[in-house]
Amino acid sequence: MGTSQVIVMEYDPSWQTEYESEKARILAALAGESIWVEHIGSTSVPGLAAKPIVDIAVGVAHLSIADAFIQPLAAIGYEYVPKPEFPPRRFFRQGEWGKGTHHLHVYEIGSEEWKGNLLFRDSLRSDPGLRRQYAELKADLASRHPDDRAAYTAHKGPFIRTVMERAGKQAQGRVTSP
């Protein structure tokens, strides 16, 4: 498998088990830290085809706290990968470049990135029609960009942003409505 190859697989229930296992390892490695851990990305949505990469979000009060995570996470196999183009996130990968098995994203709790990831996941979990649309988009993009992960990811962006914006407005309406 090439490092930039896009492989989208049918949903595998073991992804949830794998997340639970990693969550326990992360919590143990970062014992004493005040963090929140969530399963995000397509592997967190039952029934949704996905690249077989378990995405995990770790929420912190202040992003600067994540600097202290580099060594403890390295001890359990996560490599810190600086992403200066995404300043509101710290990124860690388990597995080789382009062949990662787990992606760990650290965000500030309450940030747009934290809320957006959870809103997107929850929208897909609760709406079978939306889940089907996203699955069709992903299958189409994987067939059009089989060797270009960056293009595959970029072309999903407008759909993801639209879903997050709609979900955010709906959530805001529920909070502010009597």
Side-chain angles (χ1 to χ4, degrees), residues 6 17 32-34 38 61 66 69 73 82 88 103 108 136 141 159 177:
V6 177
T17 305
E33 297 290 344
S34 181
E38 292 281 344
F69 296 177
L73 289 174
H103 289 168
E108 286 188 7
E136 290 169 1
L141 292 174
F159 180 89
S177 296

Side-chain angles (χ1 to χ4, degrees), residues 54-160:
V54 175
D55 282 288
I56 301 167
V58 172
V60 295
H62 301 285
L63 200 53
S64 61
I65 294 168
D67 293 339
F69 296 177
I70 295 172
Q71 291 305 318
L73 289 174
I76 61 168
Y78 284 89
E79 175 186 1
Y80 173 60
V81 181
K83 298 273 186 179
E85 66 275 24
F86 297 110
R89 172 187 78 166
R90 298 296 180 268
F91 179 73
F92 297 80
R93 178 189 65 239
Q94 192 176 75
E96 298 175 40
W97 182 87
K99 297 180 184 180
T101 58
H102 301 80
H103 289 168
L104 193 150
H105 314 263
V106 181
Y107 301 109
E108 286 188 7
I109 289 180
S111 69
E112 291 303 311
E113 295 78 13
W114 175 262
K115 292 187 292 189
N117 275 286
L118 299 182
L119 283 170
F120 185 65
R121 176 201 66 194
D122 293 347
S123 295
L124 291 173
R125 283 179 174 175
S126 66
D127 186 336
L130 188 63
R131 190 167 49 248
R132 190 171 34 260
Q133 287 176 15
Y134 191 47
E136 290 169 1
L137 173 65
K138 289 168 48 152
D140 177 58
L141 292 174
S143 69
R144 288 195 290 141
H145 305 286
D147 296 313
D148 189 347
R149 273 184 163 186
Y152 168 84
T153 300
H155 284 90
K156 291 188 308 179
F159 180 89
I160 293 168

Side-chain angles (χ1 to χ4, degrees), residues 18-55:
E18 183 63 25
Y19 160 72
E20 293 294 340
S21 173
E22 284 303 303
K23 177 180 178 180
R25 288 170 21 95
I26 291 163
L27 288 170
L30 301 177
E33 297 290 344
S34 181
I35 61 173
W36 192 266
V37 183
E38 292 281 344
H39 190 184
I40 60 170
S42 294
T43 61
S44 72
V45 180
L48 182 62
K51 294 190 313 291
I53 301 167
V54 175
D55 282 288

Side-chain angles (χ1 to χ4, degrees), residues 164-175:
M164 288 190 310
E165 287 169 11
R166 185 175 0 150
K169 287 177 185 172
Q170 289 172 346
Q172 189 175 35
R174 284 191 301 269
V175 171

Side-chain angles (χ1 to χ4, degrees), residues 7-12 15 48-52:
I7 304 289
V8 176
M9 303 172 54
E10 289 301 315
Y11 178 76
D12 184 340
W15 292 334
L48 182 62
K51 294 190 313 291

